[in-house]
């Protein structure tokens, strides 16, 4: 099975025993180094060009990221994977290679990021690969220059494709082991274009995954109607594994249920910068426990989890290996 599929499978289909109010410490850790982004993808809950809201986008100090990573490693958090991004563009973070190198030196087995690829020119991507990143995923949500402009809000499709190719060449020519993949968020106006993208990149990437965006309702009214596609057959009332196996920490050190809840302060369940506590204490804080209770009891009305596709089966949301 392809690496990315294997990882998503492990995250989305965990052992059922974790679905309790107090699950084991999380095997997946997300540390958002920066929420800043240079794109405005229509489906992004934090940066969408469709949103009227003004958000604050933070940047984490490298020493803070290192402190969190060190504590997590010592406590056994993130042993399945560590994501150094959530809603922002990681290549805007000037200390990216330094933090990747630190995470790998600590011993985390799988450290990865997703980039929109606009900035991942070889001079920026090479230090990150050399630092030991295990996987780089390019988020490319269109198959043509025209639709890319509509979705991403930037006319840089050709540049992104060129960046994927030079990254792949560097990995190949230097016998690096970094897994290279692409992700494609399906929308009404790019229907079927994941296959065009797959064809364009098949000689350069290891795999591609297409998936349905979650929580479009959170962005603005009408976004789901305009861009939403292929509503999964599920009832969106299942268990969301993220609350039970993944710890999200944003750039201001707020602990969140997931990246979809980034945009509302009410979902900042613990502010570690204001109320210092151990990551293990934060994992068992009242806010996260209450979220787990809501999901376990199916009472999510009025929250970001209501109607979220992540509560359906993985087969409803993801498509792998498009070619
Ligand atoms: S169900 Fe809730 S916690 Fe899970 S991904 Fe959706 S919004 Fe996030």
């Amino acid at each position: 099975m392809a690496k990315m599929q294997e990882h998503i499978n492990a995250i989305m289909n965990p052992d059922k025993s974790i679905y309790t109010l107090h699950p084991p410490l999380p095997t997946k850790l997300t540390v958002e180094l920066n929420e800043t982004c240079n794109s405005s993808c229509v489906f992004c809950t934090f940066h969408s060009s469709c949103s009227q809201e003004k958000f604050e986008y933070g940047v984490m100090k490298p020493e803070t990221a290192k402190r969190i990573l060190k504590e997590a490693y010592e406590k056994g958090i993130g042993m399945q994977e560590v994501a150094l991004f959530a809603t922002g563009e990681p290549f805007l973070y000037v200390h990216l290679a330094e933090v990747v190198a630190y995470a790998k030196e600590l011993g985390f087995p799988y450290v990865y990021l997703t980039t929109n690829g606009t900035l991942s020119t070889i001079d920026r991507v090479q230090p990150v690969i050399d630092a030991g990143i295990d996987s780089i995923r390019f988020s490319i949500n269109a198959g043509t220059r025209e639709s890319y402009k509509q979705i991403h809000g930037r006319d840089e499709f050709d540049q992104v494709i060129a960046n994927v190719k030079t990254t792949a060449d560097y990995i190949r020519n230097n016998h690096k082991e970094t897994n290279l993949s692409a992700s494609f968020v399906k929308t009404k106006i790019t229907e079927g274009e994941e296959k065009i993208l797959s064809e364009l990149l098949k000689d350069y990437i290891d795999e591609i995954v297409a998936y349905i965006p979650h929580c479009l309702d959170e962005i603005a009214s009408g976004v789901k109607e305009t861009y939403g596609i292929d509503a999964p057959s599920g009832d969106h009332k299942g268990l969301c594994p993220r609350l039970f196996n993944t710890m999200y920490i944003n750039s201001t050190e707020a602990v969140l249920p997931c990246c979809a809840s980034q945009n509302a302060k009410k979902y900042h369940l613990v502010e570690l910068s204001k109320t210092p506590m151990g990551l293990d204490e934060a994992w068992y804080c009242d806010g996260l426990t209450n979220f787990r209770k809501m999901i376990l009891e199916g009472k999510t009305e009025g929250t970001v989890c209501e109607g979220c596709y992540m509560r359906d089966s993985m087969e409803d949301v993801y498509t792998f290996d498009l070619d």
Side-chain angles (χ1 to χ4, degrees):
M1 189 187 293
K3 263 191 184 173
M4 182 161 63
Q5 182 170 4
E6 202 177 311
H7 274 272
I8 292 177
N9 270 346
I11 301 302
M12 296 305 291
N13 293 320
D15 190 302
K16 295 284 178 278
S17 64
I18 68 165
Y19 290 113
T20 70
L21 286 182
H22 301 101
L25 288 173
T27 54
K28 183 180 170 188
L29 172 69
T30 293
V31 180
E32 173 115 87
L33 299 176
N34 59 302
E35 283 114 26
T36 47
C37 190
N38 58 349
S39 288
S40 49
C41 296
V42 292
F43 48 74
C44 177
T45 48
F46 213 26
H47 299 278
S48 174
S49 54
C50 302
S51 174
Q52 302 296 317
E53 286 187 61
K54 292 273 168 274
F55 301 115
E56 285 171 29
Y57 303 120
V59 179
M60 187 181 271
K61 289 183 180 156
E63 49 273 27
T64 305
K66 289 179 184 177
R67 175 175 45 77
I68 291 170
L69 288 166
K70 185 165 187 292
E71 185 190 341
Y73 188 77
E74 285 169 356
K75 290 181 173 164
I77 294 171
M79 290 306 149
Q80 202 169 23
E81 64 175 49
V82 173
L84 293 175
F85 76 100
T87 59
E89 167 46 48
F91 281 97
L92 284 170
Y93 189 71
V94 292
H95 307 285
L96 181 60
E98 180 187 333
V99 175
V100 170
Y102 186 77
K104 290 306 294 179
E105 278 159 23
L106 280 171
F108 285 109
Y110 192 85
V111 179
Y112 81 103
L113 57 82
T114 292
T115 171
N116 61 35
T118 57
L119 299 170
S120 33
T121 47
I122 194 63
D123 56 313
R124 294 196 203 206
V125 89
Q126 182 180 333
V128 175
I129 292 171
D130 292 349
I133 192 91
D134 293 285
S135 162
I136 298 176
R137 189 184 302 169
F138 286 89
S139 167
I140 310 173
N141 307 296
T144 70
R145 183 178 164 191
E146 254 335 287
S147 49
Y148 184 92
K149 238 190 310 182
Q150 279 180 275
I151 295 292
H152 286 251
R154 297 177 70 97
D155 185 8
E156 290 190 283
F157 183 71
D158 295 339
Q159 178 64 47
V160 170
I161 298 297
N163 287 346
V164 176
K165 291 179 179 178
T166 50
T167 302
D169 287 343
Y170 179 74
I171 290 170
R172 200 174 292 148
N173 296 338
N174 293 280
H175 311 290
K176 300 286 183 181
E177 301 208 334
T178 312
N179 177 263
L180 218 54
S181 60
S183 63
F184 182 102
V185 178
K186 297 187 199 182
T187 65
K188 207 174 264 176
I189 65 168
T190 52
E191 214 166 341
E193 289 191 19
E194 64 268 32
K195 299 216 166 38
I196 303 174
L197 185 68
S198 180
E199 192 56 33
L200 263 177
L201 295 181
K202 68 177 185 214
D203 295 332
Y204 300 93
I205 60 174
D206 302 304
E207 53 195 314
I208 182 168
V209 58
Y211 63 97
I212 293 165
H214 56 147
C215 306
L216 290 181
D217 286 334
E218 286 287 305
I219 298 167
S221 66
V223 175
K224 194 168 181 176
E225 290 69 26
T226 310
Y227 297 101
I229 190 174
D230 289 339
S233 52
D235 59 8
H236 326 323
K237 289 189 175 158
L239 297 169
C240 168
R242 296 183 181 205
L243 288 163
F244 301 85
N245 65 8
T246 306
M247 185 167 218
Y248 277 88
I249 303 176
N250 80 0
S251 71
T252 63
E253 294 184 71
V255 176
L256 310 157
C258 73
C259 63
S261 54
Q262 177 76 283
N263 56 2
K265 284 264 193 254
K266 66 179 172 182
Y267 296 124
H268 293 193
L269 305 176
V270 171
E271 308 258 12
L272 293 173
S273 60
K274 295 180 188 150
T275 316
M277 64 176 77
L279 296 181
D280 44 348
E281 287 176 88
W283 181 244
Y284 298 115
C285 71
D286 288 348
L288 269 174
T289 305
N290 288 339
F291 253 88
R292 290 183 194 119
K293 189 165 187 288
M294 278 185 337
I295 286 278
L296 289 168
E297 293 176 354
K299 295 178 185 161
T300 56
E301 294 78 11
T303 74
V304 65
C305 302
E306 185 182 10
C308 177
Y309 293 164
M310 288 298 158
R311 297 170 65 197
D312 294 324
S313 79
M314 204 184 72
E315 293 71 29
D316 285 329
V317 180
Y318 294 98
T319 316
F320 294 96
D321 296 323
L322 300 164
D323 50 322

